[in-house]
Amino acid sequence: MKKLVTFCFLFLTTISFCQNKTISGVIKDKETKLPVEGVTISVENSNVGTISNEEGKFRITISNSNSRVFLTHIFYNPVALNPTDDNQEMELFLEPQTYELQEVLVNKVPAKTMLTDAVKMSKSKLQKSLLLNTYYREFVSVDNKFTTFSDGLVDYYVKRKSGASDLQVKQSRVFDLKDENASERQKAIMSVNLNDIQDAIEHGYNFKGLNSILKSEDYDFSSETKKLSDGKIIDIVTIEPKQGIEEEMIFQGTVTFDSKTKLILDVDLEFSPDHKKYNQLHSILIAKFKINDYARKSKYKVDGDKYVLVYYQSKADVYLKFGNKINNSFQSTCDLTTLNYKEGEFKIEKDKKYKSRSLFENGNKYTEEFWKKYDGILLSEKEERLLKTLQQ
């Protein structure tokens, strides 16, 4: 009997193992043959997903070889794949969405009101008790010289009422340029919160940045409604600074949302190039800083009655004067990819809550090569080369 149980266990384990399949490839525009960044890749009947990088490359693991893999992007026709042993390394071409030109879609609602309604609806839909399993990473350069990289598996425990979150770092790794100014650089970075691991929830989940823009009197809003070839209708609201505004840290960009559900699908904001000259030098304790540039992106997925953040990115360029050793411009990129998510009431033990603002502070704490095993956004070839310079 014992032998039979052992055999059954090994047999079932083998089946389970064989069913796991990792597929990877590169996604390109069918017409231009250029890589398509930001394509959402998801697995049928699961919450597993990832996103393509700036080179269009992706990797995803499926636990059931019979499950289809879906590729979606707001400006391309969706594609469904049936994975086989022959397509573990693929070159895929997406066909750009075409727009119905036969009818003119007129929206009588002011663009600012449309965006306000979309933010309210999206926030209410996202604000539920949720556990987000994510892959998070940070890049830092000083005067455009790469100095620091950290990445890890980070769980966000999103609370039902407030939409705030606690987080736990499950695994992490760090690479840092070791020179005489290394410790001073980290102190300077922390003094102005250059990297904030909470930002993905504050902005990507609670729409903090969009709410600030909507409350400001410094912006004009315009809208465009498009009917896609598959019948879906989307609204694109463009945000621009008002004429004559001479304020610092003024944004421009677009927000795209579904016309019917009012759920936001894509946010793309950056500092207005014409207003960067108004950015000022500020003092905080022993540091002085000026934000030269800033950009923020987030992407969302609607899957039946589920609506979830799938990607968040922030980029910053900040001048810092800190003590006698730091008088430089720091460039930072942070991004998060949702690997999986679970709905329900979840709590994290107090001693496991991560309090630091930067993942870098967690150091090297990993038990496996998670960057190879899990389906986070892949490093580009340029990023791989930069990482090797720190490893050496």
Side-chain angles (χ1 to χ4, degrees):
M1 180 68 181
K2 183 177 180 181
K3 290 182 178 179
L4 178 61
V5 171
T6 303
F7 172 79
C8 290
F9 173 78
L10 291 173
F11 178 73
L12 293 173
T13 302
T14 302
I15 292 176
S16 175
F17 177 79
C18 291
Q19 285 180 330
N20 286 320
K21 178 180 295 184
T22 299
I23 62 173
S24 58
V26 59
I27 303 171
K28 298 180 180 180
D29 185 295
K30 186 175 181 180
E31 296 178 357
T32 66
K33 305 299 186 289
L34 295 175
V36 181
E37 180 181 6
V39 178
T40 299
I41 301 100
S42 55
V43 179
E44 185 179 30
N45 298 322
S46 81
N47 298 330
V48 174
T50 188
I51 195 166
S52 62
N53 69 6
E54 64 187 54
E55 297 171 336
K57 295 179 180 178
F58 74 95
R59 179 185 66 223
I60 194 164
T61 302
I62 55 177
S63 58
N64 187 338
S65 59
N66 294 321
S67 296
R68 291 180 298 171
V69 175
F70 300 102
L71 311 182
T72 56
H73 190 288
I74 193 168
F75 297 120
Y76 290 87
N77 291 328
V79 170
L81 300 173
N82 293 302
T84 67
D85 292 335
D86 297 329
N87 60 10
Q88 292 185 10
E89 288 285 344
M90 295 177 286
E91 186 177 35
L92 302 166
F93 294 90
L94 297 188
E95 189 171 359
Q97 280 272 15
T98 56
Y99 306 109
E100 296 284 350
L101 302 179
Q102 290 86 350
E103 55 182 302
V104 178
L105 301 174
V106 179
N107 202 316
K108 297 181 180 180
V109 180
K112 186 174 182 178
T113 301
M114 292 171 60
L115 182 55
T116 301
D117 292 343
V119 169
K120 183 178 179 180
M121 180 61 72
S122 300
K123 189 175 178 181
S124 67
K125 185 71 172 176
L126 282 167
Q127 278 192 2
K128 59 179 66 175
S129 184
L130 195 71
L131 173 59
L132 288 177
N133 307 125
T134 76
Y135 170 73
Y136 182 91
R137 64 184 186 180
E138 302 172 355
F139 299 86
V140 177
S141 299
V142 179
D143 295 332
N144 294 307
K145 181 181 180 182
F146 188 49
T147 61
T148 307
F149 174 80
S150 58
D151 66 350
L153 301 178
V154 182
D155 286 351
Y156 287 83
Y157 292 74
V158 184
K159 301 174 185 178
R160 179 178 294 277
K161 291 184 179 180
S162 65
S165 66
D166 293 322
L167 60 93
Q168 178 183 6
V169 178
K170 307 298 286 291
Q171 300 191 62
S172 66
R173 62 172 176 163
V174 169
F175 297 95
D176 189 33
L177 177 64
K178 300 298 183 183
D179 58 18
E180 62 179 0
N181 293 332
S183 62
E184 293 298 316
R185 281 199 303 270
Q186 286 308 312
K187 291 178 184 177
I189 288 172
M190 296 304 292
S191 72
V192 296
N193 299 333
L194 184 62
N195 299 331
D196 192 339
I197 199 168
Q198 290 282 359
D199 271 356
I201 299 301
E202 289 294 319
H203 292 282
Y205 213 84
N206 282 331
F207 303 99
K208 181 179 177 180
L210 279 178
N211 279 319
S212 296
I213 288 173
L214 287 167
K215 291 177 182 177
S216 173
E217 298 297 325
D218 295 335
Y219 296 96
D220 283 326
F221 301 83
S222 59
S223 67
E224 181 181 13
T225 301
K226 293 185 176 182
K227 185 175 182 180
L228 307 180
S229 56
D230 61 3
K232 182 185 295 184
I233 301 175
I234 59 172
D235 290 305
I236 303 173
V237 172
T238 299
I239 302 167
E240 295 179 314
K242 286 183 176 179
Q243 290 292 330
I245 293 296
E246 297 183 359
E247 299 290 335
E248 65 174 335
M249 293 184 285
I250 295 293
F251 286 90
Q252 67 177 32
T254 59
V255 181
T256 304
F257 52 92
D258 186 284
S259 298
K260 182 179 179 180
T261 63
K262 305 301 180 188
L263 296 179
I264 292 174
L265 305 172
D266 186 271
V267 178
D268 191 349
L269 298 172
E270 63 179 0
F271 273 172
S272 166
D274 295 335
H275 293 75
K276 293 178 186 179
K277 60 187 176 185
Y278 300 118
N279 293 350
Q280 300 176 11
L281 190 67
H282 299 268
S283 297
I284 177 171
L285 298 177
I286 64 171
K288 292 185 178 181
F289 72 96
K290 183 176 75 169
I291 304 179
N292 298 321
D293 205 357
Y294 190 75
R296 188 185 305 126
K297 293 181 180 181
S298 51
K299 294 181 180 293
Y300 305 83
K301 179 176 69 173
V302 179
D303 184 12
D305 62 345
K306 299 177 182 178
Y307 176 57
V308 66
L309 172 74
V310 295
Y311 181 70
Y312 172 84
Q313 181 191 76
S314 66
K315 289 186 175 183
D317 187 321
V318 179
Y319 164 75
L320 274 171
K321 189 175 190 318
F322 185 90
N324 297 322
K325 294 185 177 180
I326 302 299
N327 187 14
N328 309 92
S329 288
F330 287 67
Q331 296 81 36
S332 167
T333 299
C334 305
D335 56 29
L336 169 154
T337 310
T338 297
L339 304 175
N340 205 338
Y341 65 94
K342 300 174 185 177
E343 295 177 288
E345 298 287 346
F346 299 97
K347 291 185 178 180
I348 181 174
E349 296 176 23
K350 188 175 181 180
D351 61 340
K352 293 183 179 180
K353 293 180 182 179
Y354 191 67
K355 300 295 186 180
S356 298
R357 292 183 176 276
S358 171
L359 184 61
F360 181 87
E361 298 297 304
N362 198 59
N364 285 301
K365 296 179 182 178
Y366 57 88
T367 57
E368 58 186 342
E369 293 183 322
F370 63 85
W371 55 94
K372 294 181 180 179
K373 181 178 179 180
Y374 294 90
D375 301 323
I377 186 170
L378 299 178
L379 291 170
S380 66
E381 291 183 4
K382 177 183 177 182
E383 291 165 346
E384 290 278 13
R385 290 195 299 269
L386 291 173
L387 191 54
K388 286 181 180 178
T389 64
L390 294 185
Q391 290 173 319
Q392 294 169 355

